[in-house]
Amino acid sequence: MTIAEMFSPEQFRHSGHELIDLLAEHLATNLEGKDKVLDWQDPKEAEKSWQQALPLQPSLTPASFMDALRDDILPSGLAVHHPRNLGHQVAMPLPMAALCDLVAALTNQAMAVYEAGPAATLIERQVVQWLAELIGWRGAEGILTSGGAQANLTTLLAARQIKAERDVWKEGITSGPPLKILASEHAHYSLARAAGIMGLGTEAVIKVATDAAGRMDVSALIAAHQKAVINGDNIIAVVATAGCTPTGSIDPLDEIGTYCNAQNLWLHVDGAHGASMLLSRQYRDKLRGIELADSVVWDGHKLLYMPAPVSAVLFKNPQHCFAAFAQEASYLFQGESAQDETYNTSYRTLECTKRMMGLKLWAAFSLYGVDGLGALVDKVFATARLLADKLQTTPDFELLMMPETNIVCFRHQSGDSSAIRKKLVVSGAFHLTQVNLHGEIWLRTTIMNPFTSNSDLDFLLEQIKIAA
Ligand SMILES: Cc1ncc(COP(=O)(O)O)c(C=O)c1O
């Protein structure tokens, strides 16, 4: 194949049309829930199909590539648009948002500096302002990153630089008292990982106990803070989780925020999962107090129905946006200081080259509005509630707690939850997860699909009974 053929617009047009037809078919089949959610294969066995020799010469034509996609690759994936896909918090992407990712891929706007992606930069800034406005912030700043884990790291780096009261970025962590973070025992592991990356050690995250509903216990938070002060620790951030990963519980943001503001503590709200409740007229009140935070993380590829990855890091004080990476790179940045570099995203993010992630969010807000996107949240929350009601009234099932979001944890009294889950996943009837809470294993479903129906839920309980 010639170099000109490799970049042929005609070939792109032809294969592109074929690809969209193929994906539209795939989407339709999945939405109808016709096939298995997952065609489970043991990874060691499955890997044998992916041990081909390195192709020094072409081994596929565009047509046979399309065949491989249709016959081998798409059928071996997890069907995220399937109504019985109840496992992870991963969005079933809005198809129009997926098209935006194709635009991002072909145009490859590197975005490290404004001139490498002018429209991409300005669209991202627009979207960040919209998300901040939903929190109730004016004049805030932020950045889009590749995922919530990196977003949490970014906020903690900023909190450290502001709250350590010394230039940790330059001097390192050894030049002062120990730096600690207070977070609920259910906080996402990415926070401990961030503490590890930052050189604080994973044990720098002091775990605060939760109440029976899985929410941070505020009196335990206050006690932990007071103990840290007596120990001479420097608390760089309190992390509240809005929609914690195991149970979906929401920490009491209002109370935590009031305490943190009074004590001059940095409050970070990890809303990777639950910040999208701000889109819903019905549920936004559950996040009352989120506006008291200094920083918020909000994943687009969860309840905003975006293709992964896209996460927003939002800072109430716009200057804090530049605190995470207080670094110079003169070959990229020509300004005097970070603040002059508002339009050069590299100053504010771990990534140098980064994907044009704002387009898909901008398109979704523009095409469906806050109300349209909020309707998705309302629908899946209602389905989660319906499942919880069924679990409460069906003999032999035990519901862990009334769901606060779209995550429902439960178990069947006669069985081993792990074995039940495995049977369901291997059968391809459902995808669901499990969670270990205080040494006990519970089944965990995350309702992400607005088309998951009453009969899908009945079928789930039936299949669990059979498996048990
Ligand atoms: C509360 C919470 N924070 C952070 C993350 C990490 O986000 P990501 O998977 O986008 O890196 C998750 C992911 O499940 C989460 O549930």
Side-chain angles (χ1 to χ4, degrees):
M1 190 179 280
T2 65
I3 290 177
E5 281 168 343
M6 286 159 78
F7 286 92
S8 159
E10 271 321 305
Q11 181 62 58
F12 178 69
R13 190 191 316 277
H14 180 79
S15 294
H17 283 206
E18 250 186 88
L19 177 67
I20 298 298
D21 283 344
L22 177 60
L23 289 177
E25 222 23 72
H26 178 75
L27 176 64
T29 310
N30 283 343
L31 285 172
E32 283 169 25
K34 275 187 188 155
D35 293 339
K36 289 180 171 183
V37 181
L38 175 67
D39 188 9
W40 169 260
Q41 289 178 38
D42 179 81
K44 273 208 178 113
E45 271 306 304
E47 199 178 24
K48 290 181 185 155
S49 318
W50 297 104
Q51 290 170 341
Q52 303 117 351
L54 171 68
L56 296 179
Q57 298 301 321
S59 61
L60 291 173
T61 61
S64 63
F65 166 69
M66 219 53 81
D67 291 344
L69 266 182
R70 186 185 50 243
D71 301 334
D72 303 327
I73 298 171
L74 293 178
S76 322
L78 175 68
V80 293
H81 290 88
H82 197 297
R84 297 199 300 271
N85 172 38
L86 312 176
H88 295 285
Q89 299 151 275
V90 176
M92 50 183 269
L94 289 160
M96 292 299 280
L99 288 181
C100 294
D101 260 6
L102 177 59
V103 176
L106 186 79
T107 60
N108 219 16
Q109 302 294 287
M111 289 194 68
V113 290
Y114 174 68
E115 61 206 43
T121 304
L122 300 179
I123 288 169
E124 175 163 326
R125 289 181 58 73
Q126 165 81 89
V127 166
V128 160
Q129 287 309 316
W130 285 346
L131 297 177
E133 187 178 327
L134 285 162
I135 294 174
W137 291 344
R138 297 259 167 216
E141 269 283 358
I143 195 83
L144 299 180
T145 68
S146 296
Q150 193 188 130
N152 277 333
L153 171 66
T154 307
T155 56
L156 291 181
L157 282 167
R160 182 180 71 173
Q161 193 65 5
I162 301 294
K163 290 295 180 185
E165 292 167 357
R166 58 188 201 265
D167 191 352
V168 180
W169 184 259
K170 253 193 195 146
E171 296 161 15
I173 51 166
T174 50
S175 63
L179 305 174
K180 303 274 166 134
I181 295 155
L182 291 165
S184 127
E185 58 179 332
H186 290 330
H188 192 257
Y189 76 83
S190 57
L191 296 160
R193 182 170 288 187
I197 294 168
M198 289 158 68
L200 311 184
T202 53
E203 290 188 359
V205 180
I206 300 170
K207 287 186 181 166
V208 179
T210 54
D211 64 15
R215 297 171 303 200
M216 188 191 277
D217 178 339
V218 179
S219 53
L221 168 69
I222 295 170
H225 176 223
Q226 286 169 351
K227 191 170 162 206
V229 172
I230 292 166
N231 289 345
D233 294 338
N234 183 343
I235 300 293
I236 55 165
V238 171
V239 181
T241 310
C244 73
T245 318
T247 61
S249 308
I250 303 162
D251 289 339
L253 304 181
D254 213 6
E255 269 182 89
I256 297 172
T258 304
Y259 181 74
C260 288
N261 287 184
Q263 298 289 321
N264 195 25
L265 288 165
W266 180 291
L267 173 62
H268 171 54
V269 173
D270 179 357
H273 185 75
S276 290
M277 280 184 268
L278 292 170
L279 304 164
S280 157
R281 290 173 199 266
Q282 198 179 341
Y283 294 107
R284 65 167 294 134
D285 202 44
K286 279 180 179 264
L287 300 186
R288 199 158 18 88
I290 193 170
E291 68 286 353
L292 300 174
D294 295 281
S295 55
V296 170
V297 159
W298 184 341
D299 272 8
H301 51 263
K302 292 190 167 69
L303 284 164
L304 252 165
Y305 291 85
M306 294 291 112
V310 55
S311 302
V313 180
L314 304 159
F315 294 99
K316 179 159 60 188
N317 178 340
Q319 299 306 321
H320 290 167
C321 203
F322 298 96
F325 304 98
Q327 193 178 23
E328 299 289 337
S330 58
Y331 55 91
L332 277 180
F333 313 117
Q334 271 106 46
E336 289 289 299
S337 68
Q339 281 81 347
D340 295 331
E341 302 294 351
T342 300
Y343 298 98
N344 296 332
T345 57
S346 268
Y347 248 116
R348 285 174 278 153
T349 162
L350 181 66
E351 289 150 306
C352 178
T353 300
K354 85 183 181 107
R355 200 176 167 86
M356 181 192 202
M357 286 181 272
L359 180 65
K360 52 195 170 188
L361 279 168
W362 177 80
F365 275 106
S366 307
L367 289 165
Y368 314 119
V370 172
D371 284 345
L373 296 170
L376 294 169
V377 174
D378 291 347
K379 186 70 177 65
V380 293
F381 276 39
T383 309
R385 181 65 198 233
L386 179 62
L387 173 58
D389 290 343
K390 282 182 190 293
L391 287 161
Q392 277 192 317
T393 53
T394 310
D396 298 334
F397 281 96
E398 185 187 354
L399 178 68
L400 174 70
M401 64 179 76
M402 256 309 162
E404 280 211 76
T405 59
N406 57 333
I407 297 175
V408 187
C409 297
F410 60 97
R411 61 189 172 189
H412 188 271
Q413 280 169 357
S414 67
D416 162 356
S417 293
S418 244
I420 291 174
R421 186 193 92 83
K422 182 90 186 165
K423 275 190 195 171
L424 261 66
V425 171
V426 169
S427 76
F430 284 92
H431 192 250
L432 70 168
T433 54
Q434 67 187 45
V435 62
N436 184 333
L437 291 166
H438 305 294
E440 294 185 19
I441 308 280
W442 296 78
L443 293 168
R444 174 179 174 274
T445 56
T446 312
I447 312 286
M448 296 298 294
N449 190 323
F451 303 110
T452 300
S453 65
N454 190 29
S455 60
D456 290 321
L457 302 182
D458 288 339
F459 189 52
L460 172 67
L461 301 198
E462 213 177 285
Q463 291 297 300
I464 290 174
K465 274 189 216 162
I466 293 169

